[in-house]
Amino acid sequence: MRPEYHVIASTVASAALYATTGSLPAAVACAVSGVAIDGDHVLDYMVEYGPRFQPRHFFDVWRHGALHRAFLVCHSWELVIILGIAGWFVSAGGILLGLFVGLGHHLLLDQLAYWPHPLAYTFLWRWRNGFELRRSFRNLPPIEDEPAGMEEAPK
């Protein structure tokens, strides 16, 4: 999903969480985590294209799926489950609940928006498949069809 849609969805989810729990820390954790989870896309970009981050090139790369591998370390149902279990047993002022809801709704929306392989958002499945982006997201164009100039980040 586009970043602005994640911002809107996270705002709605955090408002609903605040309305049901009355916990400001839970609502803030939900709002922040529902958007910040996408920071792992920057890590994947830097692994493939090097440490020089070029915002325009970054968005072109993700729009065209011009990566061979994507680790997506935060896009993981295992992480959501761990947060849910930890939140059940550990009192952290609602922060773990907020993280659970924020990451969970983000992954659900991504699953619905991109229609990836059903297990694409499980870290263990991606690991077993070598983190190959096209195994998880089969609807991407072949890497050789990427736009001209996408082979490397601009100097």
Side-chain angles (χ1 to χ4, degrees):
M1 282 180 63
R2 294 174 56 105
E4 58 268 27
Y5 297 141
H6 280 304
V7 170
I8 293 166
S10 294
T11 301
V12 170
S14 64
L17 189 59
Y18 182 76
T20 57
T21 66
S23 171
L24 184 59
V28 170
C30 176
V32 171
S33 67
V35 176
I37 182 178
D38 278 338
D40 61 4
H41 294 304
V42 175
L43 297 174
D44 289 334
Y45 171 84
M46 293 175 109
V47 165
E48 186 138 345
Y49 291 98
R52 260 188 86 190
F53 181 74
Q54 300 286 331
R56 183 175 181 182
H57 186 255
F58 168 79
F59 286 108
D60 284 344
V61 163
W62 279 102
R63 183 175 28 262
H64 298 289
L67 290 172
H68 293 89
R69 297 183 342 153
F71 300 97
L72 299 171
V73 294
C74 297
H75 284 71
S76 162
W77 285 114
E78 295 93 334
L79 181 56
V80 173
I81 291 167
I82 289 167
L83 287 168
I85 292 170
W88 186 264
F89 292 106
V90 177
S91 174
I95 292 173
L96 292 175
L97 173 63
L99 293 173
F100 172 77
V101 173
L103 296 180
H105 89 266
H106 183 107
L107 289 183
L108 179 62
L109 291 173
D110 277 359
Q111 188 82 37
L112 294 172
Y114 298 122
W115 289 98
H117 184 282
L119 299 175
Y121 289 114
T122 60
F123 187 82
L124 293 174
W125 185 86
R126 288 194 312 269
W127 179 35
R128 184 174 178 170
N129 287 280
F131 298 103
E132 292 179 31
L133 186 63
R134 275 154 187 74
R135 283 193 158 225
S136 297
F137 300 91
R138 296 171 285 193
N139 57 342
L140 292 172
I143 198 82
E144 58 269 12
D145 288 346
E146 65 191 58
M150 294 295 295
E151 305 83 35
E152 59 183 68
K155 306 290 183 219

